[in-house]
């Protein structure tokens, strides 16, 4: 009897547990049934059975059905593109989101049906060895295990897409809310980007493309056919919130969304940072970014996790802020080279990065490595002009001092630059030129002058430095240990000193300065001595008097020569009775001028035989000098100087300013219209190699012509000079010979040298050539010449441009590293 | 063709006309200056003695001033007399 | 090409380094002059010069080790102090080795004409070195600082030679003990 009753009750309880609708009567029957089970001590069996039945139902029916609701086909194909696209559109994700909402709701319903029904509740009224909640949580764990053990690969995509939607909705709705509540655009800057997008929203929602209620005019609403879909952002958002609470209810929330939340927050933070700092270095943004993370991202997390779960969001907040700093640092680190180039406009970016470096450990190393690498790639190779490297070096010094006042980064990063600069032979010259150029940025640096550290050996040691500045002392950063020389020089001294210290010795600079000064004076007799004097005074403050003594004497020579010229040419000196043309002289104190100018050399090359008029002029000038300065005399350096000539042809007059050698050559053609180079060499005592190079000056101007090898004739009529090009091929061979000669004779120092004048003319063509090579990559000499003649030379006398002189010009550009010449082709350095 | 020279600017170095290159006292070149001077030439001239030896004027004056009894040429030890 | 240039520069650096070492800061007239003297110095093979401080050319020691004459095999150290008045004043030279010599007294004062009345600014350190070297080859009894030694030299060259030997080996000559100064 009892058994029958028990059997009946058992059957009732096991067969009807899953029935949906239950009435009060049912409840009573269930209660009764449990009474019977309890009486027979069968409650535990039923509990176990129920658990197993739950498992079976979910494993075989509910969960497969859950997965069925999430077919792969609903997912948009290019998922990652949608998520990472900057203006995320809800439409593409809408279907998938709805499916997930639905599936979760289904799962939740099923669970509630199975775990929160009358059967279970009644059961636990009778049972006292386990509470209902404990049983339910066991059921949740079971559900979790079942889901996870059977998870579909694309499920994560569903989740990711949905959370992405969720975030966009949140941002969108919040901005909308702000927009409407603030009315007159009193919107925080931190959400600038978001709200800006909203501001142009009129009748349609930009996120879901639905019509916005209240904004849509009746006309529009009724004018078009079909149903108007309204903006469903708020509705979707509500569903999203609901889904989260359902998942939470099922204890699935964190398991399901952990990865998605992380990738959504991270990718939006990164997106935000990129928006803020793409190519934009002149605004401080780290603080506003931090605020943005705290308000927008954390605000969203609070919605996802529910506000009660403070600990959860608090932990994430700190993690996200850290992630934000790291991401910012990473992005800025990648931009470091451009930031340096744009300093001082980029100072805000540096300040931001500086703050990041204090927060993110290990990033100093990344910054150092990244900068070193980009210097390596972008600066330290032969394609870059020394001036550009120097500019970058100076920029790096200035900007890295902002980034890291200890100077350690600067020193570590710039060490290779310094070494590389040291290996280039024109570095000194570039620095000196920059230092003495009137328009140079370095002039203010020079004027600033705190010259201590240039003076070798007087550089303060660390100890002294600390003794003087102990109150401001800061410990070195850890990586200071990597700095080979612990001297503070590059870290604390001024820019000019740092540049000078590239060579760790000022002597080279002083020497080079002297050389450049000499070159300047000898090539331009009228150059601005006062300007040079001011420069010299500034340099003297820095380098000390004794080292620049020679330069002072050189300047003095310049001014006293002018005085002397005036006096001698005034006619008051009897000895100087020469009146045919004015003769002036730069009288130099030999010992104080650089040796290599050969002022008093006995070189064969330096003994030119000058025209007799000139010899006479020189003699009388010397005599006049001897009367003015008793017991002293002059030794002339005939190949230095500058001569104004006028060539008078049958049909025209031409004026030139040339070096004495050029003058002597053309002078010879007065007597005799045609010369063999060997005869000419003998006649004016100039070696043939030098002579040939000098003759080319007159050839380029169509005055002389090589009619056959080694034989030059004077061109009296313009009409004769049409076959310049024919000669070009022949020239090419000889020219290489000349280029060699140039090195040995140092033609560059010739005052008023032909090359200077020639290059002036070519400067006009240079932009044409550059464009040509940009478009056509690489070209042979002849092509460049023809094209120039076609385009650049229209309307000008094409005689002006011979192939040979073009080649000289291009070669000079190659020397200046503006062009590359290989395999017979010219091209621009990449 | 005719070449007309409109002006000629040359470069020359000046030198003392002396039978030696260096001042025996400071051993700097005559065309340089004595250790106390900065500018050669006008500011640091040479003087000749009757013995035909010459020195930077500042060098020889310093030497002569340090001799209280006889003023002798540092070179030949003859009595120093300035050459007129 | 670039390598070539850097080599050239290195060479230059080296040269300058050596010049600078002997030419600290703003050089005085005496320093400039002594620098020239030292650079032009051609020492006889019996002489050596020693700078305790390579940056200070005004104080140094000269070591003479005669290879002939009475003092053959000895080693004599002289200290040179060049005043800021150089070359208008001769350097102060003292013999730091006790020596039995008519022209060098027991305090180390040296009697050499060009170090006193016959000094003239055209003389150089080289002139003094040769003068000192000559003193060891030809001691001069005419103008003695050590009168005893001068008398012995004048009266008995053999005895003088024996005394010199004795002194150099380290021994008493007259009433004076000389420390050994043979090499």
């Amino acid at each position: 009897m009892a058994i029958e009753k028990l059997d009946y009750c058992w059957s009732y309880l096991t067969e009807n547990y899953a029935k949906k609708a239950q009435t009060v009567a049912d409840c009573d029957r269930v209660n009764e049934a449990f009474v019977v089970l309890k009486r027979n001590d069968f409650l535990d069996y039923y509990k176990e059975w129920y658990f197993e039945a739950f498992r079976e139902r979910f494993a075989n029916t509910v969960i497969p059905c859950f997965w069925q609701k999430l077919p792969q086909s609903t997912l948009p194909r290019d998922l990652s593109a949608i998520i990472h696209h900057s203006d995320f559109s809800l439409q593409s994700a809408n279907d998938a989101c709805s499916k997930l909402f639905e599936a979760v709701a289904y799962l939740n319903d099923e669970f509630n049906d199975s775990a929160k029904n009358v059967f279970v509740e009644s059961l636990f009224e009778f049972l006292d060895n386990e509470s209902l909640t404990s049983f339910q949580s066991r059921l949740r764990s079971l559900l979790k295990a079942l889901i996870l053990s059977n998870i579909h690969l694309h499920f994560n995509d569903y989740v990711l897409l949905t959370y992405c939607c969720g975030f966009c909705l949140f941002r969108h709705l919040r901005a909308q809310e702000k927009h409407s509540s603030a009315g007159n655009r009193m919107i925080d800057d931190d959400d600038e980007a978001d709200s800006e997008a909203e501001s142009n929203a009129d009748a349609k929602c930009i996120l879901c493309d639905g019509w916005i209620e209240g904004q849509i005019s009746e006309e529009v609403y009724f004018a078009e056919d079909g149903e108007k879909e309204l903006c469903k952002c708020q509705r979707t958002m509500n569903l999203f919130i609901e889904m989260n609470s359902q998942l939470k209810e099922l204890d699935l929330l964190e398991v399901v969304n952990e990865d998605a939340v992380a990738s959504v927050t991270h990718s939006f933070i990164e997106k935000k940072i990129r928006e803020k700092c793409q190519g934009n270095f002149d605004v401080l943004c780290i603080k506003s970014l931090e605020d943005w993370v705290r308000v927008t991202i954390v605000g969203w997390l609070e919605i996802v996790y529910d506000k009660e779960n403070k600990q959860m969001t608090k932990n994430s907040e700190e993690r996200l802020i850290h992630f934000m700093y790291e991401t910012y640092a990473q992005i800025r680190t990648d931009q470091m080279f451009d930031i340096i180039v744009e300093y001082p406009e980029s100072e805000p970016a540096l300040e931001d990065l500086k703050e990041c470096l204090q927060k993110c450990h290990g990033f100093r190393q990344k910054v150092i490595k990244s900068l070193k690498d980009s210097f390596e790639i972008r600066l330290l190779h032969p394609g870059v002009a020394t001036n550009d490297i120097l500019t970058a070096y100076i920029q790096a010094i200035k900007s890295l001092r902002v980034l890291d006042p200890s100077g350690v980064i600067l020193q570590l990063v710039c060490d290779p630059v310094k070494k590389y600069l040291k290996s280039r032979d024109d570095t000194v010259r570039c620095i000196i030129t920059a230092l003495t150029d009137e328009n140079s940025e370095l002039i203010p640096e020079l004027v600033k002058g705190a010259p201590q550290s240039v003076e070798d050996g007087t550089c303060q040691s660390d100890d002294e430095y600390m003794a003087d500045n102990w109150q401001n002392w800061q410990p070195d950063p850890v990586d200071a240990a990597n700095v080979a020389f612990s001297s503070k020089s590059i870290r604390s001294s001024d820019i000019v000193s740092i540049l000078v210290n590239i060579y760790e010795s000022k002597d080279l600079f002083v020497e080079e300065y002297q050389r450049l000064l000499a070159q300047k004076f000898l090539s331009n007799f009228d150059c601005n001595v006062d300007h040079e004097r001011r420069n010299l005074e500034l340099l003297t403050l820095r380098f000390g008097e004794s080292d620049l003594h020679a330069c002072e004497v050189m300047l003095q020579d310049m001014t006293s020569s002018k005085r002397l010229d005036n006096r001698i040419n005034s006619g008051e000196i009897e000895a100087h009775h020469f009146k045919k043309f004015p003769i002036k002289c730069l009288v130099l104190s030999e010992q104080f001028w650089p040796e290599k100018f050969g002022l008093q050399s006995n070189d064969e090359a330096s003994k030119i035989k000058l025209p007799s008029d000139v010899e006479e002029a020189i003699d009388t000038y010397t005599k006049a000098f001897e009367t003015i300065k008793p017991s002293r005399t002059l030794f002339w350096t005939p190949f230095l100087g500058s001569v104004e000539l006028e060539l008078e042809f049958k049909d025209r007059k031409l004026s030139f300013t040339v070096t004495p050698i050029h003058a002597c050559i053309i002078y010879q053609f007065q007597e005799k219209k045609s010369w063999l180079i060997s005869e000419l060499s003998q006649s004016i005592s100039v070696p043939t190699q030098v002579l040939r190079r000098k003759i080319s000056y007159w050839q380029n101007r169509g005055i002389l012509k090589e009619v056959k090898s080694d034989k030059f004739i004077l061109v009296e009529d313009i009409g004769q000079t049409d076959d310049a090009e024919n000669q070009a091929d022949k020239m090419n061979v000889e020219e290489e010979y000349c280029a060699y000669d140039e090195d040995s004779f140092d033609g560059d120092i010739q005052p008023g040298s032909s090359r200077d004048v020639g290059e002036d003319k070519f400067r006009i063509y240079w932009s044409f050539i550059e464009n040509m090579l940009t478009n056509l990559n690489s070209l042979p000499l002849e092509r460049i010449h023809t094209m120039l003649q076609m385009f650049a030379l229209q309307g000008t006398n094409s005689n002006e441009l011979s192939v040979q002189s073009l080649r000289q010009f291009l070669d000079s550009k190659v020397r200046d590293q503006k062009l590359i010449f290989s395999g017979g082709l010219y091209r621009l350095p990449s | 063709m005719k070449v007309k020279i409109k002006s000629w600017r040359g470069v020359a170095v000046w030198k003392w006309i002396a039978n030696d290159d260096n001042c025996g006292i400071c051993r700097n070149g005559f065309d340089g200056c004595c250790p106390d001077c900065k500018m050669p030439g006008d500011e640091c001239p040479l003087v000749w003695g009757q013995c035909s030896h010459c020195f930077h004027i500042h060098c020889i004056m310093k030497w002569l001033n340090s001799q209280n009894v006889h003023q002798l040429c540092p070179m030949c030890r003859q009595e120093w007399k300035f050459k007129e | 090409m670039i390598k070539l240039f850097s080599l050239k520069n290195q060479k230059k650096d080296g040269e300058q380094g050596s010049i600078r070492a002997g030419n600290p800061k703003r050089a005085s007239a005496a320093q400039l002059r002594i620098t020239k003297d030292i650079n032009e110095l051609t020492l006889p093979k019996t002489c050596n010069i020693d700078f305790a401080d390579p940056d200070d050319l005004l104080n140094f020691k000269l070591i003479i080790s005669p290879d002939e004459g009475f003092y053959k095999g000895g080693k004599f150290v002289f200290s040179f102090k060049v005043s800021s008045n150089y070359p208008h004043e001769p350097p102060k030279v003292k013999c730091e080795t006790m020596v039995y010599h008519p022209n060098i007294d027991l305090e180390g004062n040296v009697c050499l004409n060009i170090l006193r009345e016959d000094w003239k600014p055209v003389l150089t350190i080289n002139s003094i070195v040769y003068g000192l070297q000559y003193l060891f080859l030809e001691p001069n009894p005419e103008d003695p600082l050590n009168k005893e030694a001068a008398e012995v030299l004048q009266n008995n060259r053999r005895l003088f030679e024996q005394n010199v030997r004795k002194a150099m080996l380290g021994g008493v000559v007259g009433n004076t003990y000389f420390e050994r100064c043979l090499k």
Side-chain angles (χ1 to χ4, degrees):
Chain A
M1 175 65 195
I3 297 219
E4 269 167 36
K5 180 117 196 209
L6 178 63
D7 185 45
Y8 171 77
C9 289
W10 179 265
S11 304
Y12 176 77
L13 286 172
T14 51
E15 277 159 26
N16 291 298
Y17 79 99
K19 225 170 90 183
K20 296 269 165 177
Q22 269 136 6
T23 61
V24 183
D26 289 335
C27 290
D28 292 343
R29 291 183 67 180
V30 169
N31 258 329
E32 278 167 33
F34 277 123
V35 171
V36 175
L37 253 64
K38 183 179 168 100
R39 204 179 297 135
N40 290 287
D41 251 352
F42 253 68
L43 285 174
D44 280 325
Y45 294 116
Y46 184 75
K47 192 176 76 179
E48 291 313 312
W49 174 86
Y50 193 91
F51 191 80
E52 177 55 26
F54 177 92
R55 192 197 65 75
E56 210 176 290
R57 202 167 89 80
F58 272 77
N60 297 334
T61 320
V62 179
I63 290 177
C65 191
F66 174 76
W67 292 129
Q68 233 164 38
K69 287 176 186 297
L70 301 170
Q72 185 150 22
S73 56
T74 317
L75 282 171
R77 211 166 294 155
D78 44 353
L79 188 71
S80 70
I82 289 172
I83 289 170
H84 293 111
H85 195 266
S86 57
D87 28 282
F88 179 81
S89 152
L90 203 57
Q91 279 192 311
S92 49
N94 203 23
D95 289 350
C97 292
S98 307
K99 291 261 190 240
L100 187 66
F101 294 152
E102 220 174 277
V104 171
Y106 163 76
L107 195 65
N108 192 45
D109 285 349
E110 286 297 329
F111 182 80
N112 283 344
D113 283 350
S114 303
K116 294 179 177 170
N117 58 19
V118 183
F119 290 79
V120 184
E121 278 159 15
S122 305
L123 170 67
F124 281 90
E125 276 170 29
F126 295 94
L127 261 179
D128 44 13
N129 59 354
E130 189 181 4
S131 70
L132 174 62
T133 39
S134 140
F135 184 68
Q136 282 171 337
S137 79
R138 270 170 63 204
L139 292 181
R140 283 195 195 95
S141 305
L142 179 62
L143 173 67
K144 199 193 278 185
L146 288 170
I147 294 249
L148 293 182
S149 65
N150 187 21
I151 201 154
H152 285 204
L153 274 180
H154 57 268
F155 179 61
N156 286 335
D157 293 345
Y158 266 102
V159 177
L160 186 59
L161 192 62
T162 307
Y163 276 87
C164 201
C165 279
F167 181 74
C168 290
L169 281 166
F170 172 77
R171 202 171 55 165
H172 170 71
L173 290 169
R174 225 172 59 96
Q176 222 172 34
E177 197 181 304
K178 245 189 214 168
H179 187 59
S180 55
S181 69
N184 47 0
R185 293 204 110 284
M186 289 278 291
I187 293 166
D188 294 343
D189 278 339
D190 58 87
D191 260 334
E192 204 182 334
D194 306 338
S195 44
E196 213 165 311
E198 299 310 318
S199 67
N200 57 8
D202 32 26
K204 272 192 166 186
C205 170
I206 52 140
L207 198 59
C208 68
D209 205 32
W211 296 95
I212 295 169
E213 231 171 330
Q215 298 239 15
I216 176 174
S217 66
E218 287 184 16
E219 264 170 78
V220 175
Y221 195 82
F222 293 111
E224 284 174 47
D225 300 326
E227 219 172 296
K228 292 285 178 297
E229 229 177 298
L230 288 173
C231 166
K232 47 184 186 294
C233 289
Q234 188 59 57
R235 212 187 66 213
T236 320
M237 187 65 198
N238 293 341
L239 285 171
F240 176 71
I241 295 171
E242 203 181 317
M243 179 194 74
N244 278 307
S245 68
Q246 286 166 349
L247 283 172
K248 191 173 176 195
E249 194 60 33
L250 293 170
D251 198 21
L252 284 173
L253 185 62
E254 274 130 57
V255 153
V256 166
N257 77 3
E258 198 176 23
D259 286 353
V261 167
S263 27
V264 168
T265 48
H266 287 187
S267 89
F268 278 94
I269 289 174
E270 196 180 326
K271 220 184 278 179
K272 180 82 181 172
I273 297 174
R274 284 199 192 278
E275 269 165 31
K276 282 243 173 193
C277 53
Q278 207 66 64
N280 176 7
F281 309 133
D282 51 2
V283 185
L284 281 170
C285 52
I286 199 86
K287 278 289 161 246
S288 71
L289 281 171
E290 189 175 331
D291 289 344
W292 181 82
V293 171
R294 287 195 198 280
V295 173
T296 307
I297 299 278
V298 174
W300 180 67
L301 286 181
E302 279 170 1
I303 285 196
V304 171
Y305 289 113
D306 210 343
K307 280 193 178 124
E308 295 147 36
N309 205 341
K310 274 273 179 255
Q311 195 50 46
M312 184 74 192
T313 44
K314 197 73 213 157
N315 287 349
S316 320
E317 183 170 345
E318 291 318 311
R319 255 203 337 267
L320 289 170
I321 294 289
H322 188 77
F323 172 81
M324 190 274 292
Y325 273 100
E326 269 191 358
T327 312
Y328 182 86
Q330 184 60 56
I331 290 175
R332 285 300 191 213
T333 302
D334 294 343
Q335 297 168 329
M336 217 35 214
F337 189 84
D338 298 318
I339 292 179
I340 283 179
V341 171
E342 283 188 25
Y343 187 85
E345 279 73 29
S346 60
E347 192 164 340
L350 288 164
E351 291 289 351
D352 277 349
L353 185 56
K354 180 177 166 187
E355 199 161 334
C356 292
L357 292 189
Q358 281 160 2
K359 296 211 158 115
C360 313
H361 297 289
F363 247 93
R364 291 174 68 89
Q365 291 315 312
K366 283 195 188 171
V367 171
I368 291 166
K369 169 129 191 358
S370 146
L371 255 185
K372 266 187 173 171
D373 289 350
S374 40
F375 276 160
E376 198 84 24
I377 295 163
R378 296 171 75 165
L379 279 186
L380 309 184
H381 54 80
V384 187
T386 307
N387 264 329
D388 295 338
I389 303 179
L390 273 174
T391 311
Y393 186 46
I394 294 167
Q395 288 290 93
I397 293 168
K398 287 186 187 163
S399 45
L400 290 179
R401 282 202 173 143
V402 174
L403 184 65
D404 172 31
S406 79
V408 174
I409 293 185
L410 172 64
Q411 192 162 0
L412 289 171
V413 167
C414 287
D415 229 38
V417 185
K418 186 174 146 183
K419 280 194 186 115
Y420 184 79
L421 278 171
K422 199 173 170 179
S423 75
R424 284 219 175 174
D425 56 291
D426 59 340
T427 303
V428 188
R429 188 177 318 171
C430 286
I431 295 173
I432 293 288
T433 314
L435 279 178
T436 54
D437 175 10
E438 252 168 295
N439 309 316
S440 159
E441 280 177 45
L442 281 178
I443 292 289
E445 295 292 335
L446 189 60
V447 176
K448 249 192 252 168
Q452 290 171 329
S453 31
V454 180
E455 198 74 48
D456 314 7
T458 59
C459 187
Q460 282 184 322
S461 75
D462 272 9
D463 291 345
E464 285 170 49
Y465 178 82
M466 267 169 61
D468 293 346
N469 297 285
W470 59 274
Q471 279 165 315
N472 302 324
W473 183 82
Q474 294 268 321
D476 273 346
V478 214
D479 47 358
N482 301 344
V483 180
F485 304 100
S486 65
S487 114
K488 291 242 190 255
S489 66
I490 194 174
R491 294 159 58 182
S492 57
S493 49
D494 66 296
I495 289 178
V496 176
S497 307
I498 290 178
L499 291 180
V500 170
N501 282 332
I502 289 177
Y503 285 87
E504 286 146 21
S505 138
K506 59 179 174 169
D507 297 11
L508 207 61
F509 278 82
V510 171
E511 197 179 285
E512 184 66 20
Y513 172 67
Q514 192 196 6
R515 222 177 65 77
L516 283 174
L517 200 62
Q519 197 169 322
K520 216 181 227 178
F521 286 159
L522 289 177
S523 63
N524 179 10
F525 293 5
D526 299 315
C527 77
N528 186 346
V529 176
D530 288 338
H531 169 68
E532 296 305 333
R533 193 178 297 280
R534 211 182 54 234
N535 263 328
L536 179 61
E537 275 161 18
L538 290 174
L539 288 170
T540 308
L541 285 177
R542 207 167 268 278
F543 291 107
E545 212 171 82
S546 54
D547 287 294
L548 289 165
H549 180 205
C551 298
E552 253 177 279
V553 177
M554 285 161 61
L555 270 168
Q556 175 81 12
D557 283 349
M558 291 300 287
T559 35
S560 51
S561 293
K562 258 176 211 159
R563 232 178 293 133
L564 198 68
D565 275 338
N566 290 339
R567 208 168 150 199
I568 290 180
N569 283 303
S570 71
E572 70 178 81
I573 312 298
E574 243 174 72
H576 188 71
H577 46 72
F578 187 81
K579 294 286 180 298
K580 285 182 190 156
F581 50 85
I583 173 146
K584 296 185 172 184
C585 180
L586 206 53
V587 178
L588 310 180
S589 307
E590 189 196 359
Q591 287 194 1
F592 300 86
W593 289 69
E595 268 172 41
K596 68 169 289 197
F597 286 88
L599 292 176
Q600 247 270 285
S601 100
N602 293 320
D603 243 347
E604 274 305 301
S606 64
K607 288 181 179 165
I608 324 171
K609 194 161 170 293
L610 299 172
S612 53
D613 275 353
V614 181
E615 294 282 8
E616 191 190 340
I618 283 175
D619 279 349
T620 59
Y621 193 100
T622 309
K623 291 217 173 71
F625 177 85
E626 284 167 359
T627 26
I628 297 173
K629 315 266 180 192
S631 307
R632 276 185 267 175
T633 189
L634 292 180
F635 292 87
W636 294 70
T637 310
F639 65 91
L640 290 178
S642 132
V643 184
E644 279 181 87
L645 292 179
E646 189 175 79
L647 305 191
E648 223 173 289
F649 292 94
K650 283 178 208 147
D651 51 349
R652 66 208 151 119
K653 279 184 184 176
L654 296 172
S655 294
F656 295 95
T657 303
V658 293
T659 67
I661 298 189
H662 290 125
C664 289
I665 293 170
I666 202 68
Y667 213 81
Q668 295 298 311
F669 281 85
Q670 255 187 146
E671 314 288 316
K672 204 170 115 187
K673 302 238 176 307
S674 124
W675 286 86
L676 281 175
I677 197 154
S678 51
E679 293 169 356
L680 196 58
S681 161
Q682 230 166 21
S683 169
I684 59 174
S685 334
V686 175
T688 49
Q689 302 100 307
V690 182
L691 197 53
R692 187 177 290 282
R693 192 160 51 81
K694 298 292 168 185
I695 285 179
S696 72
Y697 172 85
W698 296 115
Q699 279 176 280
N700 290 341
R701 279 151 190 78
I703 310 282
L704 296 183
K705 189 167 140 188
E706 189 170 20
V707 280
K708 63 180 198 218
S709 179
D710 288 345
K711 182 167 184 168
F712 293 87
I713 63 154
L714 180 74
V715 181
E716 282 275 8
D717 302 315
I718 303 174
Q720 273 178 272
T721 61
D722 50 1
D723 52 354
E725 210 177 328
N726 295 347
Q727 297 173 23
D729 292 337
K730 214 189 312 164
M731 295 289 177
N732 290 347
V733 184
E734 289 151 6
E735 216 192 305
E736 270 158 37
Y737 190 55
C738 293
Y740 168 73
D741 167 59
E742 193 158 14
D743 287 339
S744 62
F745 192 70
D746 205 345
D748 286 354
I749 59 161
Q750 301 297 313
S753 107
S754 61
R755 258 167 37 111
D756 290 354
V757 185
E759 271 185 22
D760 220 25
K761 181 182 75 179
F762 276 111
R763 219 153 282 152
I764 323 162
Y765 304 145
W766 175 237
S767 63
F768 278 97
I769 298 172
E770 266 184 318
N771 285 334
M772 217 186 277
L773 292 174
T774 314
N775 293 326
L776 300 168
N777 204 9
S778 55
L779 290 172
L781 177 67
E782 291 70 28
R783 270 298 290 290
I784 298 177
H785 185 248
T786 349
M787 290 181 73
L788 272 184
Q789 283 197 317
M790 273 164 67
F791 300 112
L793 301 177
Q794 274 172 0
T796 60
N797 184 354
S798 62
N799 283 328
E800 271 181 48
L801 183 75
S802 70
V803 178
Q804 186 213 6
S805 53
L806 176 64
R807 184 189 168 118
Q808 265 182 356
F809 171 71
L810 294 179
D811 286 345
S812 78
K813 288 287 175 190
V814 172
R815 273 195 297 276
D816 296 341
Q817 295 170 333
K818 298 263 165 48
L819 276 183
I820 292 171
F821 181 71
S822 68
L825 300 175
Y826 290 93
R827 63 186 164 85
L828 295 167
S830 46
Chain B
M1 180 205 60
K2 274 186 90 77
V3 178
K4 190 175 153 203
I5 297 172
K6 289 203 290 197
S7 78
W8 190 285
R9 309 182 114 179
V11 176
V13 299
W14 63 267
K15 293 214 173 285
W16 289 100
I17 305 170
N19 47 13
D20 202 351
D21 290 338
N22 297 321
C23 167
I25 297 174
C26 69
R27 306 200 132 253
N28 286 338
F30 284 138
D31 304 327
C33 48
C34 78
D36 298 325
C37 278
K38 279 176 78 175
M39 293 298 159
D42 295 345
E43 287 182 31
C44 190
L46 306 193
V47 284
W48 279 260
Q50 284 183 357
C51 56
S52 89
H53 292 123
C54 69
F55 303 94
H56 286 127
I57 189 167
H58 303 121
C59 295
I60 187 72
M61 288 314 287
K62 197 171 172 187
W63 166 244
L64 296 176
N65 288 339
S66 72
Q67 304 295 100
N68 12 24
V69 198
H70 300 293
Q71 302 209 313
L72 304 177
C73 170
M75 207 60 94
C76 59
R77 235 180 264 285
Q78 294 180 42
E79 195 183 345
W80 178 269
K81 284 203 175 109
F82 287 103
K83 198 173 177 182
E84 294 305 315
Chain C
M1 193 61 168
I2 288 173
K3 274 229 175 94
L4 201 87
F5 272 109
S6 66
L7 257 178
K8 210 162 107 190
N9 286 342
Q10 269 169 16
K11 207 177 130 207
K12 255 193 214 159
D13 276 355
E15 283 166 12
Q16 279 157 355
S18 68
I19 292 169
R20 198 171 50 238
N23 187 9
K25 293 199 186 157
R26 184 81 171 101
S28 70
Q31 275 172 322
L32 287 172
R33 168 63 202 264
I34 196 77
T35 308
K36 286 185 197 292
D37 279 17
I38 299 299
N39 283 345
E40 289 166 14
L41 204 57
T42 47
L43 290 174
K45 61 180 189 301
T46 55
C47 295
N48 261 316
I49 200 158
D50 175 45
F51 292 91
D53 173 3
D55 285 339
D56 178 13
L57 295 182
L58 298 178
N59 294 290
F60 56 89
K61 294 199 187 327
L62 175 77
I63 300 108
I64 302 181
S65 322
D67 58 357
E68 52 181 317
F70 295 120
Y71 297 92
K72 184 176 174 182
K75 187 180 165 197
F76 306 96
V77 179
F78 290 84
S79 71
F80 280 63
K81 282 192 168 55
V82 180
S83 81
S84 63
N85 243 345
Y86 186 78
H88 298 282
E89 232 172 53
K92 296 201 168 17
V93 178
K94 282 226 164 197
C95 183
E96 294 193 336
T97 314
M98 278 272 265
V99 57
Y100 180 79
H101 193 293
N103 309 109
I104 301 174
D105 71 13
L106 301 174
E107 272 85 55
N109 296 314
V110 183
C111 178
L112 182 66
N113 63 338
I114 56 167
L115 284 176
R116 293 160 190 275
E117 72 280 6
D118 286 342
W119 171 255
K120 49 185 182 176
V122 298
L123 295 174
T124 65
I125 298 297
N126 225 25
S127 333
I128 301 169
V129 170
Y130 278 96
L132 291 173
Q133 194 203 16
Y134 186 73
L135 276 188
F136 285 100
L137 296 179
E138 293 291 335
N140 174 13
E142 302 295 324
D143 189 14
L145 272 180
N146 182 340
K147 292 204 173 71
E148 275 177 54
E151 259 169 50
V152 177
L153 173 61
Q154 218 153 22
N155 300 330
N156 188 345
R157 277 182 80 89
R158 269 199 71 86
L159 181 60
F160 180 76
E161 192 176 349
Q162 280 168 8
N163 284 348
V164 169
R165 282 281 120 194
K166 209 195 259 173
M168 290 202 299
L169 280 163
V172 181
V173 180
N175 294 321
T176 316
Y177 174 75
F178 291 87
E179 262 177 48
R180 183 185 164 92
C181 66
L182 276 179
K183 271 212 280 197

